[in-house]
Amino acid sequence: MDRRGYQQYKQQAINSMTSGELLLLLYDELVKRGTMASIALGKEDYPTFEAAIDRCTDIVNYLDETLDRKYDISRDLSRLYEYFTYQLGRIKIGRNGKELEQLRPMFSELRDAFHAAERNSSQGRGGPV
């Protein structure tokens, strides 16, 4: 399989996405990595657990850094992302599955909210995502 062709295809696919689609892709990855962390912790696979938590933290930090601060909701989202980062740090250090299981649904709920906003926006009923 030609790796270069696949990488070019992936890059082209990402470049053709709307900002809302890219945002949903990030949230999907956040949910996926949270699930991976939970499974790895249950199996006591700590390197995989820590890598998944680190990736979640990277995604949350990126989401916070790319907020458009001209909207009031950005302040609230930034606080939420700060909370996520704090909790992810605690979860990683303490290998705390209970805390992780409380945080994971929040990732999914936020993803679902942005998905609904993207759908409404694409149908011409909403503002910027």
Side-chain angles (χ1 to χ4, degrees):
M1 180 169 163
D2 182 15
R3 272 265 198 242
R4 253 179 305 154
Y6 176 70
Q7 291 299 332
Q8 288 173 340
Y9 169 77
K10 270 181 45 177
Q11 189 64 38
Q12 184 179 8
I14 289 171
N15 289 338
S16 66
M17 290 180 159
T18 66
S19 59
E21 290 170 333
L22 287 170
L23 183 64
L24 290 175
L25 189 64
L26 284 168
Y27 275 110
D28 285 342
E29 188 68 15
L30 181 61
V31 169
K32 177 179 130 186
R33 295 298 175 134
T35 301
M36 285 175 59
S38 180
I39 292 168
L41 185 59
K43 293 180 178 180
E44 297 182 5
D45 179 359
Y46 300 122
T48 301
F49 164 75
E50 290 178 5
I53 293 294
D54 287 343
R55 188 66 179 130
C56 286
T57 303
D58 291 344
I59 292 168
V60 169
N61 287 334
Y62 179 79
L63 289 167
D64 188 43
E65 291 168 9
T66 58
L67 283 172
D68 188 344
R69 306 289 176 175
K70 70 181 179 182
Y71 297 104
D72 291 336
I73 194 168
S74 295
R75 183 179 53 247
D76 296 331
L77 284 170
S78 184
R79 287 184 191 145
L80 184 61
Y81 294 152
E82 185 178 323
Y83 171 76
F84 286 168
T85 302
Y86 174 76
Q87 287 299 96
L88 287 165
R90 289 183 61 224
I91 289 165
K92 180 180 175 185
I93 290 169
R95 294 181 177 161
N96 191 329
K98 181 180 175 187
E99 293 293 325
L100 178 58
E101 293 312 311
Q102 290 178 353
L103 195 61
R104 286 181 50 227
M106 293 180 195
F107 296 160
S108 296
E109 290 170 10
L110 202 52
R111 178 199 56 197
D112 294 346
F114 276 105
H115 181 56
E118 170 66 14
R119 207 172 354 167
N120 289 341
S121 177
S122 68
Q123 295 173 355
R125 294 187 301 203
V129 177

